[in-house]
Amino acid sequence: DSGVTQTPKHLITATGQRVTLRCSPRSGDLSVYWYQQSLDQGLQFLIQYYNGEERAKGNILERFSAQQFPDLHSELNLSSLELGDSALYFCASSTRQGASEAFFGQGTRLTVV
Amino acid sequence: EDKVVQSPLSLVVHEGDTVTLNCSYEVTNFRSLLWYKQEKKAPTFLFMLTSSGIEKKSGRLSSILDKKELFSILNITATQTGDSAVYLCAVESGNTPLVFGKGTRLSVIA
């Protein structure tokens, strides 16, 4: 157990809908990262927050947004969902701004039907 | 654009064999290279390498980085069925926290 908690574990929703994925980092970790893993693309970096502020942005779609709250948990919001958004979404956390030795949660498997 | 390429994409070996997984990278402002093992869900951390030529070792697994040639290898000796997994290489750069390769799927058969 990495200490990073993601909920829900599975999510099935229809196209056009909006969902929220939640992540609780390891105790003491200030950085949270979101990654998307699909079969053909591998792990793709979406966005990083450090102590409540956005630090780095990857290939995150405009339909996706995230935030990190004062208690350091983070939420990833996905809206106007498309079939192609079906993937595993991972959250990772680390103590520092750099991602070295980031620890990953178990992921949320999103299926858009 | 930062890039990490792993080879081979998949590999099937017999128990007891030794395997070498490759990772090459092109990134700006290299900071570190990491290896992860992914079985069913979450990638689990194996090694972090920052200095060239220094081998990191953990049991039957070892890894080394060549910063001049921009690659790393992960060796697994005396493979066991429990080593079957996807092995991911990732590079931390000044631009992106972690850029991942597509992974090498290792299958170890008894």
Side-chain angles (χ1 to χ4, degrees):
Chain A
D1 182 6
S2 67
V4 180
T5 304
Q6 289 188 247
T7 56
K9 288 187 172 54
H10 302 276
L11 199 47
I12 301 176
T13 190
T15 53
Q17 295 298 305
R18 172 189 168 96
V19 297
T20 297
L21 313 183
R22 184 188 167 100
C23 170
S24 294
R26 290 186 318 157
S27 177
D29 283 0
L30 299 178
S31 270
V32 170
Y33 313 81
W34 286 99
Y35 285 84
Q36 179 192 56
Q37 187 176 39
S38 54
L39 280 174
D40 56 343
Q41 290 296 321
L43 269 164
Q44 299 286 311
F45 169 68
L46 295 177
I47 197 163
Q48 177 202 359
Y49 280 83
Y50 178 79
N51 204 20
E53 293 190 6
E54 183 184 304
R55 269 288 180 261
K57 215 166 185 175
N59 296 324
I60 187 167
L61 299 172
E62 283 190 15
R63 300 182 286 109
F64 296 0
S65 65
Q67 54 185 326
Q68 185 179 29
F69 294 87
D71 66 352
L72 300 178
H73 91 271
S74 178
E75 292 181 355
L76 179 67
N77 300 297
L78 315 175
S79 61
S80 303
L81 285 167
E82 303 175 358
L83 296 177
D85 298 327
S86 297
L88 257 177
Y89 290 84
F90 286 107
C91 168
S93 74
S94 68
T95 53
R96 300 175 291 114
Q97 293 191 43
S100 301
E101 299 186 58
F103 291 85
F104 283 75
Q106 291 297 306
T108 294
R109 181 170 292 283
L110 173 66
T111 303
V112 183
V113 298
Chain B
E1 185 181 328
D2 295 343
K3 191 165 66 171
V4 176
V5 177
Q6 292 185 245
S7 64
L9 288 179
S10 65
L11 194 53
V12 180
V13 300
H14 289 94
E15 268 191 322
D17 287 351
T18 293
V19 297
T20 298
L21 311 183
N22 304 295
C23 175
S24 64
Y25 61 91
E26 290 178 31
V27 300
T28 52
N29 193 15
F30 172 90
R31 291 185 181 169
S32 62
L33 184 144
L34 295 90
W35 285 96
Y36 285 85
K37 178 181 181 182
Q38 186 175 25
E39 295 176 88
K40 292 181 181 174
K41 281 284 188 82
T44 53
F45 172 78
L46 294 175
F47 297 113
M48 182 177 75
L49 302 132
T50 55
S51 300
S52 219
I54 297 176
E55 185 182 49
K56 290 280 182 90
K57 200 169 169 65
S58 176
R60 297 176 294 102
L61 277 67
S62 64
S63 183
I64 197 160
L65 173 67
D66 185 330
K67 287 169 77 173
K68 185 179 175 185
E69 300 297 331
L70 308 182
F71 78 91
S72 173
I73 60 172
L74 175 68
N75 280 320
I76 309 174
T77 59
T79 52
Q80 303 170 356
T81 54
D83 295 327
S84 296
V86 175
Y87 290 85
L88 297 167
C89 173
V91 174
E92 183 184 13
S93 73
N95 298 330
T96 307
L98 282 177
V99 179
F100 281 85
K102 292 194 176 182
T104 293
R105 181 174 295 278
L106 175 65
S107 300
V108 182
I109 54 179

